Amino acid sequence: MATEKISFLLNWQPTPYHIPIYIAQLKGYFKDAGVDISILEPSNPSDVTELIGSGKIDMGLKAMVHTLAAKARGFPVTSVASLLDEPFTGVLYLEGSGITPDFHSLKGKRIGYVGEFGKIQIDELTKHYGMTPDDYTAVRCGMNVAKYIIEGKIDAGIGIECIQQVELEDYLKKQGRPISDAKMLRIDKLAELGCCCFCTILYICNDKFLEANPEKVRKFLVAIKRATDYILSNPKQAWEEYSDFKPQMTSQLNQKMFERCFAYFSESLYNVHRDWRKVTAYGKRLEILPQDYQSNYSNEYLSWPEPKEVDDPTKAQEMMLAHQEECKACGGYRRLAV
């Protein structure tokens, strides 16, 4: 049966950084743009690129490294915009676990990962540091990395600063422990990448859908840009509206996650060329991409001016780290002026 709806699949259950999609829906921005969106939630986050790439779903969200790997594996998808830029990603652990800033301290530990590529990353890092996959026990956790650390099922696990690390900090606070006991070994530092962009969250499309419906995609992105602008200008009100629409968001923990995600939201939505070059090279290093692979992204569906990329991305990352530490200490909705 034919339908005019665009089916849109989240990369996880509704979470604080999904707010632009829901704000665009509840405030009628999609309708104003002339598109009708059906927002879907995956039962397994690892299925997202396969469902979109096979044409069962039109559009959705996924991290950059997964978007690259999907097309290399025969699931044709293209990134048409960015949602969350370069959230700090790394191996999370708690003080007192026997893990230190020395990566070799992970030897003999149980390390959790979300899906297949997290395991590949850890295997490549162990090799980079003269270790092997036999030197640690890999545990697939899905999105429950923080929960598994808290329950003692793993010693450490891959997560992002504005979600899983916030979960660990919330746990520590309730235990009367300093939130600084939640630690992270950043993968960009460990792997000498110079960026955290492999976990940039993207708006992706099935290639056949994109080719057949370019105007629908443009209209979708106009609505998302309008929602993003609204959120960045009115974060407190936007969060209250999102929480009313999705009652499971109504908690101090989710609000804290939103505060920490706030600095990472892409204002322009543009795919960053530098980041795509770096992550494509990283994918080749991980051997999940062939050496002649061409990055699968496009900015042609965005109808506003493209911003200039930062001159010193390493300095920008250092500034973001200091910014997020301030946000951790003081809370509130803070954007970084680079």
Side-chain angles (χ1 to χ4, degrees):
M1 184 178 295
T3 177
E4 290 303 310
K5 283 187 180 290
I6 296 175
S7 54
F8 187 91
L9 186 61
L10 303 179
N11 59 328
W12 190 15
Q13 64 190 16
T15 201
Y17 64 71
H18 292 142
I19 187 171
I21 297 96
Y22 285 104
I23 287 290
Q25 184 82 303
L26 71 93
K27 295 188 77 66
Y29 295 161
F30 287 134
K31 184 178 180 180
D32 291 348
V35 288
D36 189 5
I37 310 300
S38 178
I39 304 171
L40 307 172
E41 303 168 19
S43 57
N44 181 353
S46 297
D47 293 339
V48 172
T49 48
E50 181 175 342
L51 289 169
I52 298 172
S54 64
K56 294 180 175 67
I57 304 289
D58 301 323
M59 299 183 67
L61 296 173
K62 204 60 183 171
M64 190 180 289
V65 69
H66 299 102
T67 300
L68 284 160
K71 196 159 191 174
R73 294 186 169 191
F75 296 110
V77 296
T78 295
S79 170
V80 292
S82 298
L83 166 61
L84 213 62
D85 276 337
E86 298 194 62
F88 291 127
T89 307
V91 181
L92 293 165
Y93 65 96
L94 295 177
E95 184 74 25
S97 62
I99 299 170
T100 73
D102 179 3
F103 186 83
H104 294 92
S105 65
L106 290 168
K107 190 169 185 177
K109 302 298 185 183
R110 298 162 298 167
I111 305 176
Y113 62 95
V114 174
E116 177 186 3
F117 298 114
K119 174 66 163 58
I120 291 171
Q121 283 182 309
I122 292 294
D123 285 349
E124 201 272 341
L125 283 171
T126 57
K127 181 180 179 182
H128 188 68
Y129 283 85
M131 299 159 61
T132 73
D134 293 332
D135 287 324
Y136 77 97
T137 301
V139 181
R140 187 165 185 158
C141 304
M143 296 295 187
N144 297 312
V145 167
K147 180 175 183 288
Y148 275 42
I149 292 174
I150 291 166
E151 293 177 350
K153 295 178 180 177
I154 57 175
D155 303 295
I158 297 178
I160 63 175
E161 179 267 334
C162 55
I163 300 293
Q164 288 88 0
Q165 186 166 344
V166 177
E167 290 182 86
L168 291 179
E169 292 166 3
D170 182 68
Y171 161 76
L172 290 166
K173 186 175 181 180
K174 290 176 179 176
Q175 296 296 308
R177 294 175 58 182
I179 62 173
S180 58
D181 279 358
K183 306 289 188 182
M184 175 186 284
L185 301 176
R186 280 171 48 190
I187 289 177
D188 63 310
K189 295 290 187 182
L190 293 170
E192 301 174 344
L193 296 177
C195 67
C196 286
C197 42
F198 51 86
C199 269
T200 290
I201 307 298
L202 306 168
Y203 296 95
I204 67 173
C205 291
N206 170 273
D207 282 0
K208 286 185 178 179
F209 172 81
L210 182 59
E211 182 180 0
N213 301 278
E215 287 308 310
K216 274 190 180 181
V217 174
R218 289 189 178 95
K219 290 175 180 178
F220 171 89
L221 292 172
V222 165
I224 289 293
K225 180 66 164 67
R226 187 179 174 190
T228 302
D229 289 345
Y230 175 76
I231 293 160
L232 296 183
S233 299
N234 307 278
K236 186 175 185 294
Q237 185 174 341
W239 181 254
E240 289 172 356
E241 291 172 315
Y242 184 30
S243 298
D244 285 342
F245 190 67
K246 281 287 181 183
Q248 64 265 48
M249 291 294 106
T250 310
S251 72
Q252 289 185 344
L253 174 59
N254 280 323
Q255 182 174 343
K256 188 68 176 176
M257 289 179 182
F258 176 53
E259 290 175 0
R260 295 273 279 279
C261 288
F262 192 68
Y264 296 120
F265 284 111
S266 173
E267 183 174 5
S268 72
L269 309 189
Y270 270 81
N271 288 284
V272 179
H273 305 289
R274 178 202 72 243
D275 293 348
W276 276 92
R277 288 193 297 270
K278 287 194 173 187
V279 182
T280 300
Y282 183 46
K284 293 174 183 179
R285 172 176 148 185
L286 292 175
E287 299 182 350
I288 61 175
L289 303 177
Q291 290 303 309
D292 60 351
Y293 189 85
Q294 299 296 311
S295 303
N296 49 321
Y297 75 98
S298 173
N299 286 326
E300 68 177 278
Y301 304 94
L302 302 173
S303 55
W304 44 91
E306 181 174 0
K308 180 179 180 293
E309 294 187 14
V310 296
D311 293 326
D312 188 344
T314 301
K315 180 64 175 178
Q317 287 267 288
E318 292 171 356
M319 292 171 65
M320 180 62 84
L321 179 61
H323 176 89
Q324 289 301 82
E325 286 298 317
E326 182 180 348
C327 185
K328 182 191 302 186
C330 304
Y333 305 106
R334 303 161 184 269
R335 294 282 289 178
L336 178 63
V338 179

